[in-house]
Amino acid sequence: MPLLWLILIVLAIAVAGYVLGRQRAVASAGGDSRQLHSLPSYYGSNVALKAIVPAFLLLIAWLLIQPLYVNNAVSGMIPENAVREGSSLGLVMAEVRRAADGLDVIVGQGMITEDYARSDEADPAQIGEQLREAGQVVTSELTQPILRAAQSYRVMNATGNTIMTVAVLILSVLGFLYGLKESQADFRARNVVEHGVRAILVGAASIAILTTVGIVLSLVFNTIE
């Protein structure tokens, strides 16, 4: 599933949670919102926050960790003799990523099937020629080790993305259901929402500060070097 669709689905769950949370809270008070501890909007916001915040935190963490894990795993598959003199493992991995992206393109264009793109019988020379025909950047001859690494790179990313999608949606739905269960007249929705929003703002500010510090330190070290 494309990342944009996943984000939109989680947002839709949050919107549904807001509406249903309000309705459930008012219903628990016998239809009289004056009997609620907080305004109806706070009950809706509580459900929406529980549906969206944990899911998005997991999504962000996954998007940061998965590339590191996949790169590390795939780089371990590349034999030493595949790193040519004057080159480096980093440059070879860049070639692997370009080949993996190129495979996505030629599969999408129908030049090869998905099964062939993953097959051990795929011919590096043929794949390399098709990549060039599709306008993909291939800086050198596509070798067997690079093709095999690119295939593994694609499979691991595809598997990871599928697991991520399922995990994020499950977490969002669980948050939705938990928030909906809390939508009772005596629930202190305002307190929970205000604390939650405050925590989000503090977290966002902390990330911004750490990012700025990291950029400044990087510039300082580069200048010193």
Side-chain angles (χ1 to χ4, degrees):
M1 177 185 295
L3 181 60
L4 178 59
W5 291 9
L6 176 59
I7 292 174
L8 290 177
I9 290 173
V10 172
L11 290 176
I13 293 173
V15 171
Y18 179 84
V19 174
L20 294 177
R22 283 172 52 99
Q23 293 177 349
R24 182 178 174 85
V26 173
S28 71
D32 185 2
S33 60
R34 293 173 300 177
Q35 302 301 317
L36 297 174
H37 174 274
S38 308
L39 292 174
S41 59
Y42 283 106
Y43 293 89
S45 298
N46 175 62
V47 181
L49 285 174
K50 284 183 167 60
I52 199 171
V53 173
F56 274 7
L57 287 176
L58 175 62
L59 177 62
I60 292 170
W62 202 294
L63 291 175
L64 291 174
I65 295 172
Q66 179 174 304
L68 299 176
Y69 173 79
V70 172
N71 283 340
N72 183 63
V74 173
S75 63
M77 302 176 184
I78 299 174
E80 293 183 5
N81 57 14
V83 182
R84 295 180 297 274
E85 186 177 353
S87 183
S88 66
L89 182 58
L91 293 175
V92 174
M93 280 302 300
E95 192 74 23
V96 168
R97 288 189 291 271
R98 282 194 292 269
D101 292 339
L103 284 171
D104 288 336
V105 171
I106 61 177
V107 169
Q109 292 180 355
M111 298 176 68
I112 61 173
T113 64
E114 179 63 36
D115 289 339
Y116 185 72
R118 299 188 178 198
S119 173
D120 292 338
E121 298 178 359
D123 180 22
Q126 178 191 357
I127 295 293
E129 183 61 31
Q130 290 174 313
L131 290 176
R132 282 185 282 271
E133 288 179 6
Q136 298 303 297
V137 178
V138 181
T139 56
S140 62
E141 180 183 356
L142 188 63
T143 62
Q144 190 83 356
I146 290 180
L147 177 58
R148 295 293 172 259
Q151 290 173 319
S152 297
Y153 186 90
R154 291 183 71 242
V155 170
M156 292 180 70
N157 270 320
T159 303
N161 290 340
T162 299
I163 296 173
M164 176 190 73
T165 298
V166 173
V168 168
L169 290 178
I170 289 176
L171 190 58
S172 180
V173 171
L174 288 177
F176 166 86
L177 295 175
Y178 184 72
L180 205 58
K181 182 181 178 181
E182 290 180 322
S183 298
Q184 300 296 324
D186 59 348
F187 178 65
R188 298 176 178 272
R190 177 179 176 179
N191 305 55
V192 173
V193 170
E194 288 180 347
H195 290 159
V197 171
R198 189 178 300 116
I200 292 172
L201 293 176
V202 171
S206 301
I207 292 173
I209 292 172
L210 291 174
T211 301
T212 303
V213 171
I215 293 173
V216 171
L217 290 176
S218 177
L219 292 174
V220 170
F221 287 134
N222 288 338
T223 302
I224 294 175
E225 293 176 356

mmCIF file of all heavy atoms in Angstrom, residues 174-220:
data_model
loop_
_atom_site.group_PDB
_atom_site.id
_atom_site.type_symbol
_atom_site.label_atom_id
_atom_site.label_comp_id
_atom_site.label_asym_id
_atom_site.label_seq_id
_atom_site.Cartn_x
_atom_site.Cartn_y
_atom_site.Cartn_z
ATOM 1 N N LEU A 174 -6.939 -0.181 17.336
ATOM 2 C CA LEU A 174 -6.955 -0.444 18.777
ATOM 3 C C LEU A 174 -7.081 0.860 19.571
ATOM 4 O O LEU A 174 -7.823 0.927 20.562
ATOM 5 C CB LEU A 174 -5.678 -1.191 19.188
ATOM 6 C CG LEU A 174 -5.575 -2.652 18.746
ATOM 7 C CD1 LEU A 174 -4.225 -3.238 19.153
ATOM 8 C CD2 LEU A 174 -6.709 -3.486 19.320
ATOM 9 N N GLY A 175 -6.349 1.885 19.137
ATOM 10 C CA GLY A 175 -6.465 3.185 19.790
ATOM 11 C C GLY A 175 -7.871 3.754 19.657
ATOM 12 O O GLY A 175 -8.421 4.331 20.606
ATOM 13 N N PHE A 176 -8.440 3.592 18.474
ATOM 14 C CA PHE A 176 -9.814 4.029 18.215
ATOM 15 C C PHE A 176 -10.796 3.341 19.173
ATOM 16 O O PHE A 176 -11.628 3.996 19.806
ATOM 17 C CB PHE A 176 -10.156 3.716 16.760
ATOM 18 C CG PHE A 176 -11.613 3.795 16.403
ATOM 19 C CD1 PHE A 176 -12.185 4.993 16.033
ATOM 20 C CD2 PHE A 176 -12.409 2.661 16.454
ATOM 21 C CE1 PHE A 176 -13.540 5.066 15.707
ATOM 22 C CE2 PHE A 176 -13.758 2.713 16.126
ATOM 23 C CZ PHE A 176 -14.317 3.927 15.755
ATOM 24 N N LEU A 177 -10.687 2.020 19.293
ATOM 25 C CA LEU A 177 -11.597 1.261 20.143
ATOM 26 C C LEU A 177 -11.412 1.597 21.622
ATOM 27 O O LEU A 177 -12.386 1.722 22.377
ATOM 28 C CB LEU A 177 -11.392 -0.249 19.915
ATOM 29 C CG LEU A 177 -11.760 -0.768 18.520
ATOM 30 C CD1 LEU A 177 -11.388 -2.245 18.393
ATOM 31 C CD2 LEU A 177 -13.245 -0.557 18.239
ATOM 32 N N TYR A 178 -10.146 1.769 22.030
ATOM 33 C CA TYR A 178 -9.877 2.103 23.430
ATOM 34 C C TYR A 178 -10.425 3.486 23.777
ATOM 35 O O TYR A 178 -11.049 3.690 24.828
ATOM 36 C CB TYR A 178 -8.377 2.045 23.700
ATOM 37 C CG TYR A 178 -8.016 2.287 25.145
ATOM 38 C CD1 TYR A 178 -8.289 1.336 26.117
ATOM 39 C CD2 TYR A 178 -7.387 3.475 25.527
ATOM 40 C CE1 TYR A 178 -7.963 1.553 27.445
ATOM 41 C CE2 TYR A 178 -7.052 3.698 26.850
ATOM 42 C CZ TYR A 178 -7.336 2.741 27.800
ATOM 43 O OH TYR A 178 -7.030 2.957 29.110
ATOM 44 N N GLY A 179 -10.204 4.452 22.866
ATOM 45 C CA GLY A 179 -10.721 5.801 23.091
ATOM 46 C C GLY A 179 -12.237 5.819 23.107
ATOM 47 O O GLY A 179 -12.863 6.547 23.900
ATOM 48 N N LEU A 180 -12.846 5.011 22.255
ATOM 49 C CA LEU A 180 -14.302 4.942 22.206
ATOM 50 C C LEU A 180 -14.857 4.356 23.511
ATOM 51 O O LEU A 180 -15.893 4.803 24.020
ATOM 52 C CB LEU A 180 -14.727 4.083 21.011
ATOM 53 C CG LEU A 180 -16.114 4.327 20.418
ATOM 54 C CD1 LEU A 180 -16.257 5.770 19.962
ATOM 55 C CD2 LEU A 180 -16.373 3.377 19.262
ATOM 56 N N LYS A 181 -14.147 3.360 24.031
ATOM 57 C CA LYS A 181 -14.573 2.752 25.296
ATOM 58 C C LYS A 181 -14.520 3.765 26.437
ATOM 59 O O LYS A 181 -15.341 3.725 27.365
ATOM 60 C CB LYS A 181 -13.676 1.549 25.607
ATOM 61 C CG LYS A 181 -14.053 0.808 26.876
ATOM 62 C CD LYS A 181 -13.110 -0.360 27.130
ATOM 63 C CE LYS A 181 -13.466 -1.072 28.427
ATOM 64 N NZ LYS A 181 -12.546 -2.205 28.707
ATOM 65 N N GLU A 182 -13.557 4.686 26.374
ATOM 66 C CA GLU A 182 -13.409 5.691 27.427
ATOM 67 C C GLU A 182 -14.479 6.783 27.346
ATOM 68 O O GLU A 182 -14.633 7.554 28.305
ATOM 69 C CB GLU A 182 -12.034 6.361 27.316
ATOM 70 C CG GLU A 182 -10.862 5.473 27.686
ATOM 71 C CD GLU A 182 -9.543 6.197 27.551
ATOM 72 O OE1 GLU A 182 -9.406 6.988 26.587
ATOM 73 O OE2 GLU A 182 -8.638 5.972 28.383
ATOM 74 N N SER A 183 -15.181 6.860 26.251
ATOM 75 C CA SER A 183 -16.134 7.962 26.035
ATOM 76 C C SER A 183 -17.392 7.782 26.873
ATOM 77 O O SER A 183 -18.481 7.482 26.366
ATOM 78 C CB SER A 183 -16.479 8.063 24.547
ATOM 79 O OG SER A 183 -15.341 8.354 23.786
ATOM 80 N N GLN A 184 -17.232 7.958 28.160
ATOM 81 C CA GLN A 184 -18.337 7.896 29.116
ATOM 82 C C GLN A 184 -18.461 9.248 29.822
ATOM 83 O O GLN A 184 -17.503 10.020 29.866
ATOM 84 C CB GLN A 184 -18.107 6.789 30.137
ATOM 85 C CG GLN A 184 -17.985 5.400 29.536
ATOM 86 C CD GLN A 184 -19.261 4.945 28.839
ATOM 87 O OE1 GLN A 184 -20.373 5.251 29.283
ATOM 88 N NE2 GLN A 184 -19.111 4.218 27.735
ATOM 89 N N ALA A 185 -19.631 9.516 30.352
ATOM 90 C CA ALA A 185 -19.927 10.845 30.900
ATOM 91 C C ALA A 185 -18.934 11.296 31.969
ATOM 92 O O ALA A 185 -18.581 12.478 32.053
ATOM 93 C CB ALA A 185 -21.360 10.854 31.470
ATOM 94 N N ASP A 186 -18.455 10.349 32.796
ATOM 95 C CA ASP A 186 -17.572 10.740 33.901
ATOM 96 C C ASP A 186 -16.091 10.725 33.535
ATOM 97 O O ASP A 186 -15.241 11.004 34.384
ATOM 98 C CB ASP A 186 -17.812 9.831 35.099
ATOM 99 C CG ASP A 186 -17.562 8.363 34.768
ATOM 100 O OD1 ASP A 186 -17.425 8.047 33.564
ATOM 101 O OD2 ASP A 186 -17.503 7.540 35.697
ATOM 102 N N PHE A 187 -15.770 10.422 32.283
ATOM 103 C CA PHE A 187 -14.366 10.391 31.871
ATOM 104 C C PHE A 187 -13.834 11.817 31.738
ATOM 105 O O PHE A 187 -14.477 12.680 31.137
ATOM 106 C CB PHE A 187 -14.229 9.656 30.537
ATOM 107 C CG PHE A 187 -12.832 9.602 30.008
ATOM 108 C CD1 PHE A 187 -11.837 8.914 30.676
ATOM 109 C CD2 PHE A 187 -12.498 10.271 28.830
ATOM 110 C CE1 PHE A 187 -10.539 8.877 30.194
ATOM 111 C CE2 PHE A 187 -11.218 10.243 28.331
ATOM 112 C CZ PHE A 187 -10.233 9.541 29.021
ATOM 113 N N ARG A 188 -12.634 12.053 32.300
ATOM 114 C CA ARG A 188 -12.034 13.395 32.269
ATOM 115 C C ARG A 188 -11.333 13.632 30.925
ATOM 116 O O ARG A 188 -10.108 13.693 30.842
ATOM 117 C CB ARG A 188 -11.072 13.549 33.439
ATOM 118 C CG ARG A 188 -11.733 13.421 34.791
ATOM 119 C CD ARG A 188 -10.733 13.483 35.930
ATOM 120 N NE ARG A 188 -11.395 13.414 37.215
ATOM 121 C CZ ARG A 188 -11.861 14.462 37.883
ATOM 122 N NH1 ARG A 188 -11.732 15.669 37.358
ATOM 123 N NH2 ARG A 188 -12.462 14.313 39.039
ATOM 124 N N ALA A 189 -12.133 13.765 29.899
ATOM 125 C CA ALA A 189 -11.586 13.864 28.542
ATOM 126 C C ALA A 189 -10.743 15.120 28.349
ATOM 127 O O ALA A 189 -9.700 15.092 27.692
ATOM 128 C CB ALA A 189 -12.725 13.842 27.522
ATOM 129 N N ARG A 190 -11.185 16.233 28.920
ATOM 130 C CA ARG A 190 -10.441 17.482 28.741
ATOM 131 C C ARG A 190 -9.032 17.367 29.297
ATOM 132 O O ARG A 190 -8.070 17.780 28.645
ATOM 133 C CB ARG A 190 -11.180 18.632 29.430
ATOM 134 C CG ARG A 190 -10.429 19.954 29.362
ATOM 135 C CD ARG A 190 -11.194 21.078 30.035
ATOM 136 N NE ARG A 190 -10.409 22.307 30.022
ATOM 137 C CZ ARG A 190 -10.840 23.457 30.522
ATOM 138 N NH1 ARG A 190 -12.049 23.542 31.072
ATOM 139 N NH2 ARG A 190 -10.070 24.535 30.483
ATOM 140 N N ASN A 191 -8.890 16.815 30.490
ATOM 141 C CA ASN A 191 -7.568 16.668 31.106
ATOM 142 C C ASN A 191 -6.660 15.806 30.241
ATOM 143 O O ASN A 191 -5.496 16.148 30.009
ATOM 144 C CB ASN A 191 -7.706 16.046 32.504
ATOM 145 C CG ASN A 191 -8.636 16.821 33.403
ATOM 146 O OD1 ASN A 191 -9.792 17.059 33.043
ATOM 147 N ND2 ASN A 191 -8.172 17.205 34.575
ATOM 148 N N VAL A 192 -7.202 14.688 29.765
ATOM 149 C CA VAL A 192 -6.398 13.762 28.961
ATOM 150 C C VAL A 192 -5.966 14.416 27.651
ATOM 151 O O VAL A 192 -4.804 14.319 27.241
ATOM 152 C CB VAL A 192 -7.196 12.470 28.684
ATOM 153 C CG1 VAL A 192 -6.435 11.574 27.711
ATOM 154 C CG2 VAL A 192 -7.470 11.723 29.976
ATOM 155 N N VAL A 193 -6.889 15.086 26.995
ATOM 156 C CA VAL A 193 -6.574 15.726 25.708
ATOM 157 C C VAL A 193 -5.543 16.838 25.889
ATOM 158 O O VAL A 193 -4.585 16.947 25.112
ATOM 159 C CB VAL A 193 -7.855 16.279 25.051
ATOM 160 C CG1 VAL A 193 -7.507 17.158 23.843
ATOM 161 C CG2 VAL A 193 -8.753 15.134 24.613
ATOM 162 N N GLU A 194 -5.724 17.659 26.902
ATOM 163 C CA GLU A 194 -4.788 18.757 27.119
ATOM 164 C C GLU A 194 -3.393 18.239 27.445
ATOM 165 O O GLU A 194 -2.390 18.762 26.946
ATOM 166 C CB GLU A 194 -5.297 19.657 28.241
ATOM 167 C CG GLU A 194 -6.513 20.488 27.828
ATOM 168 C CD GLU A 194 -7.023 21.379 28.943
ATOM 169 O OE1 GLU A 194 -6.602 21.173 30.118
ATOM 170 O OE2 GLU A 194 -7.850 22.264 28.664
ATOM 171 N N HIS A 195 -3.301 17.208 28.276
ATOM 172 C CA HIS A 195 -2.002 16.609 28.578
ATOM 173 C C HIS A 195 -1.386 15.987 27.328
ATOM 174 O O HIS A 195 -0.170 16.085 27.102
ATOM 175 C CB HIS A 195 -2.147 15.539 29.669
ATOM 176 C CG HIS A 195 -2.464 16.113 31.016
ATOM 177 N ND1 HIS A 195 -3.045 15.371 32.025
ATOM 178 C CD2 HIS A 195 -2.293 17.354 31.519
ATOM 179 C CE1 HIS A 195 -3.216 16.132 33.092
ATOM 180 N NE2 HIS A 195 -2.767 17.343 32.802
ATOM 181 N N GLY A 196 -2.234 15.343 26.517
ATOM 182 C CA GLY A 196 -1.740 14.729 25.289
ATOM 183 C C GLY A 196 -1.207 15.748 24.305
ATOM 184 O O GLY A 196 -0.134 15.562 23.719
ATOM 185 N N VAL A 197 -1.945 16.835 24.125
ATOM 186 C CA VAL A 197 -1.501 17.890 23.202
ATOM 187 C C VAL A 197 -0.214 18.530 23.706
ATOM 188 O O VAL A 197 0.706 18.814 22.927
ATOM 189 C CB VAL A 197 -2.609 18.951 23.029
ATOM 190 C CG1 VAL A 197 -2.081 20.160 22.265
ATOM 191 C CG2 VAL A 197 -3.804 18.350 22.305
ATOM 192 N N ARG A 198 -0.142 18.732 25.030
ATOM 193 C CA ARG A 198 1.074 19.316 25.604
ATOM 194 C C ARG A 198 2.276 18.405 25.362
ATOM 195 O O ARG A 198 3.364 18.866 25.011
ATOM 196 C CB ARG A 198 0.880 19.549 27.098
ATOM 197 C CG ARG A 198 2.019 20.357 27.741
ATOM 198 C CD ARG A 198 1.761 20.605 29.225
ATOM 199 N NE ARG A 198 0.526 21.352 29.420
ATOM 200 C CZ ARG A 198 -0.547 20.883 30.049
ATOM 201 N NH1 ARG A 198 -0.533 19.638 30.522
ATOM 202 N NH2 ARG A 198 -1.621 21.616 30.193
ATOM 203 N N ALA A 199 2.084 17.100 25.523
ATOM 204 C CA ALA A 199 3.172 16.147 25.298
ATOM 205 C C ALA A 199 3.608 16.152 23.828
ATOM 206 O O ALA A 199 4.805 16.074 23.517
ATOM 207 C CB ALA A 199 2.743 14.745 25.712
ATOM 208 N N ILE A 200 2.642 16.261 22.921
ATOM 209 C CA ILE A 200 2.969 16.304 21.497
ATOM 210 C C ILE A 200 3.791 17.546 21.171
ATOM 211 O O ILE A 200 4.785 17.484 20.438
ATOM 212 C CB ILE A 200 1.678 16.276 20.657
ATOM 213 C CG1 ILE A 200 0.990 14.915 20.785
ATOM 214 C CG2 ILE A 200 1.979 16.565 19.186
ATOM 215 C CD1 ILE A 200 -0.380 14.866 20.137
ATOM 216 N N LEU A 201 3.383 18.699 21.722
ATOM 217 C CA LEU A 201 4.106 19.942 21.462
ATOM 218 C C LEU A 201 5.521 19.893 22.023
ATOM 219 O O LEU A 201 6.478 20.332 21.369
ATOM 220 C CB LEU A 201 3.342 21.128 22.065
ATOM 221 C CG LEU A 201 1.985 21.443 21.421
ATOM 222 C CD1 LEU A 201 1.287 22.563 22.172
ATOM 223 C CD2 LEU A 201 2.168 21.812 19.955
ATOM 224 N N VAL A 202 5.657 19.338 23.242
ATOM 225 C CA VAL A 202 6.993 19.216 23.838
ATOM 226 C C VAL A 202 7.866 18.278 23.015
ATOM 227 O O VAL A 202 9.047 18.556 22.751
ATOM 228 C CB VAL A 202 6.882 18.714 25.294
ATOM 229 C CG1 VAL A 202 8.269 18.370 25.841
ATOM 230 C CG2 VAL A 202 6.227 19.764 26.172
ATOM 231 N N GLY A 203 7.275 17.150 22.578
ATOM 232 C CA GLY A 203 8.025 16.210 21.754
ATOM 233 C C GLY A 203 8.456 16.821 20.436
ATOM 234 O O GLY A 203 9.600 16.644 19.992
ATOM 235 N N ALA A 204 7.548 17.568 19.790
ATOM 236 C CA ALA A 204 7.879 18.202 18.514
ATOM 237 C C ALA A 204 8.979 19.238 18.690
ATOM 238 O O ALA A 204 9.901 19.336 17.872
ATOM 239 C CB ALA A 204 6.635 18.849 17.917
ATOM 240 N N ALA A 205 8.884 20.022 19.768
ATOM 241 C CA ALA A 205 9.917 21.030 20.032
ATOM 242 C C ALA A 205 11.265 20.371 20.310
ATOM 243 O O ALA A 205 12.313 20.855 19.843
ATOM 244 C CB ALA A 205 9.502 21.897 21.212
ATOM 245 N N SER A 206 11.253 19.259 21.050
ATOM 246 C CA SER A 206 12.499 18.555 21.359
ATOM 247 C C SER A 206 13.151 18.010 20.095
ATOM 248 O O SER A 206 14.367 18.116 19.907
ATOM 249 C CB SER A 206 12.234 17.409 22.335
ATOM 250 O OG SER A 206 11.672 17.876 23.538
ATOM 251 N N ILE A 207 12.328 17.448 19.201
ATOM 252 C CA ILE A 207 12.858 16.929 17.944
ATOM 253 C C ILE A 207 13.451 18.057 17.103
ATOM 254 O O ILE A 207 14.528 17.911 16.510
ATOM 255 C CB ILE A 207 11.748 16.195 17.163
ATOM 256 C CG1 ILE A 207 11.345 14.920 17.895
ATOM 257 C CG2 ILE A 207 12.214 15.857 15.746
ATOM 258 C CD1 ILE A 207 10.146 14.217 17.291
ATOM 259 N N ALA A 208 12.753 19.202 17.072
ATOM 260 C CA ALA A 208 13.248 20.343 16.295
ATOM 261 C C ALA A 208 14.584 20.838 16.849
ATOM 262 O O ALA A 208 15.513 21.148 16.084
ATOM 263 C CB ALA A 208 12.219 21.467 16.312
ATOM 264 N N ILE A 209 14.682 20.882 18.182
ATOM 265 C CA ILE A 209 15.934 21.345 18.805
ATOM 266 C C ILE A 209 17.073 20.372 18.518
ATOM 267 O O ILE A 209 18.182 20.782 18.153
ATOM 268 C CB ILE A 209 15.737 21.517 20.326
ATOM 269 C CG1 ILE A 209 14.781 22.685 20.608
ATOM 270 C CG2 ILE A 209 17.075 21.749 21.022
ATOM 271 C CD1 ILE A 209 14.388 22.806 22.064
ATOM 272 N N LEU A 210 16.808 19.079 18.683
ATOM 273 C CA LEU A 210 17.843 18.074 18.438
ATOM 274 C C LEU A 210 18.290 18.083 16.978
ATOM 275 O O LEU A 210 19.480 17.941 16.675
ATOM 276 C CB LEU A 210 17.325 16.685 18.818
ATOM 277 C CG LEU A 210 17.115 16.433 20.318
ATOM 278 C CD1 LEU A 210 16.468 15.078 20.541
ATOM 279 C CD2 LEU A 210 18.445 16.514 21.060
ATOM 280 N N THR A 211 17.320 18.261 16.063
ATOM 281 C CA THR A 211 17.661 18.323 14.642
ATOM 282 C C THR A 211 18.537 19.532 14.346
ATOM 283 O O THR A 211 19.532 19.432 13.612
ATOM 284 C CB THR A 211 16.379 18.394 13.796
ATOM 285 O OG1 THR A 211 15.565 17.248 14.060
ATOM 286 C CG2 THR A 211 16.720 18.430 12.313
ATOM 287 N N THR A 212 18.179 20.676 14.928
ATOM 288 C CA THR A 212 18.970 21.896 14.724
ATOM 289 C C THR A 212 20.374 21.734 15.273
ATOM 290 O O THR A 212 21.362 22.112 14.627
ATOM 291 C CB THR A 212 18.276 23.091 15.409
ATOM 292 O OG1 THR A 212 16.951 23.234 14.888
ATOM 293 C CG2 THR A 212 19.061 24.366 15.165
ATOM 294 N N VAL A 213 20.476 21.159 16.480
ATOM 295 C CA VAL A 213 21.792 20.932 17.080
ATOM 296 C C VAL A 213 22.621 19.989 16.211
ATOM 297 O O VAL A 213 23.820 20.207 15.985
ATOM 298 C CB VAL A 213 21.641 20.356 18.503
ATOM 299 C CG1 VAL A 213 22.999 19.898 19.044
ATOM 300 C CG2 VAL A 213 21.027 21.390 19.431
ATOM 301 N N GLY A 214 21.993 18.940 15.699
ATOM 302 C CA GLY A 214 22.701 18.002 14.835
ATOM 303 C C GLY A 214 23.224 18.663 13.574
ATOM 304 O O GLY A 214 24.360 18.418 13.144
ATOM 305 N N ILE A 215 22.408 19.532 12.969
ATOM 306 C CA ILE A 215 22.832 20.235 11.756
ATOM 307 C C ILE A 215 23.988 21.175 12.051
ATOM 308 O O ILE A 215 24.972 21.237 11.297
ATOM 309 C CB ILE A 215 21.648 21.011 11.144
ATOM 310 C CG1 ILE A 215 20.584 20.031 10.630
ATOM 311 C CG2 ILE A 215 22.115 21.922 10.016
ATOM 312 C CD1 ILE A 215 19.311 20.711 10.176
ATOM 313 N N VAL A 216 23.880 21.901 13.167
ATOM 314 C CA VAL A 216 24.954 22.842 13.542
ATOM 315 C C VAL A 216 26.266 22.105 13.801
ATOM 316 O O VAL A 216 27.332 22.506 13.327
ATOM 317 C CB VAL A 216 24.538 23.654 14.785
ATOM 318 C CG1 VAL A 216 25.724 24.464 15.311
ATOM 319 C CG2 VAL A 216 23.380 24.579 14.449
ATOM 320 N N LEU A 217 26.193 20.997 14.555
ATOM 321 C CA LEU A 217 27.396 20.222 14.844
ATOM 322 C C LEU A 217 28.014 19.656 13.569
ATOM 323 O O LEU A 217 29.240 19.638 13.405
ATOM 324 C CB LEU A 217 27.066 19.088 15.820
ATOM 325 C CG LEU A 217 26.731 19.508 17.253
ATOM 326 C CD1 LEU A 217 26.339 18.299 18.087
ATOM 327 C CD2 LEU A 217 27.917 20.228 17.889
ATOM 328 N N SER A 218 27.146 19.205 12.662
ATOM 329 C CA SER A 218 27.639 18.670 11.387
ATOM 330 C C SER A 218 28.375 19.748 10.597
ATOM 331 O O SER A 218 29.453 19.510 10.039
ATOM 332 C CB SER A 218 26.469 18.121 10.571
ATOM 333 O OG SER A 218 26.907 17.661 9.324
ATOM 334 N N LEU A 219 27.821 20.962 10.570
ATOM 335 C CA LEU A 219 28.464 22.070 9.853
ATOM 336 C C LEU A 219 29.786 22.438 10.501
ATOM 337 O O LEU A 219 30.776 22.722 9.820
ATOM 338 C CB LEU A 219 27.528 23.277 9.822
ATOM 339 C CG LEU A 219 26.258 23.133 8.973
ATOM 340 C CD1 LEU A 219 25.354 24.347 9.158
ATOM 341 C CD2 LEU A 219 26.611 22.948 7.508
ATOM 342 N N VAL A 220 29.795 22.411 11.853
ATOM 343 C CA VAL A 220 31.030 22.762 12.580
ATOM 344 C C VAL A 220 32.131 21.751 12.280
ATOM 345 O O VAL A 220 33.273 22.118 11.975
ATOM 346 C CB VAL A 220 30.762 22.837 14.102
ATOM 347 C CG1 VAL A 220 32.075 22.943 14.868
ATOM 348 C CG2 VAL A 220 29.855 24.025 14.421
#
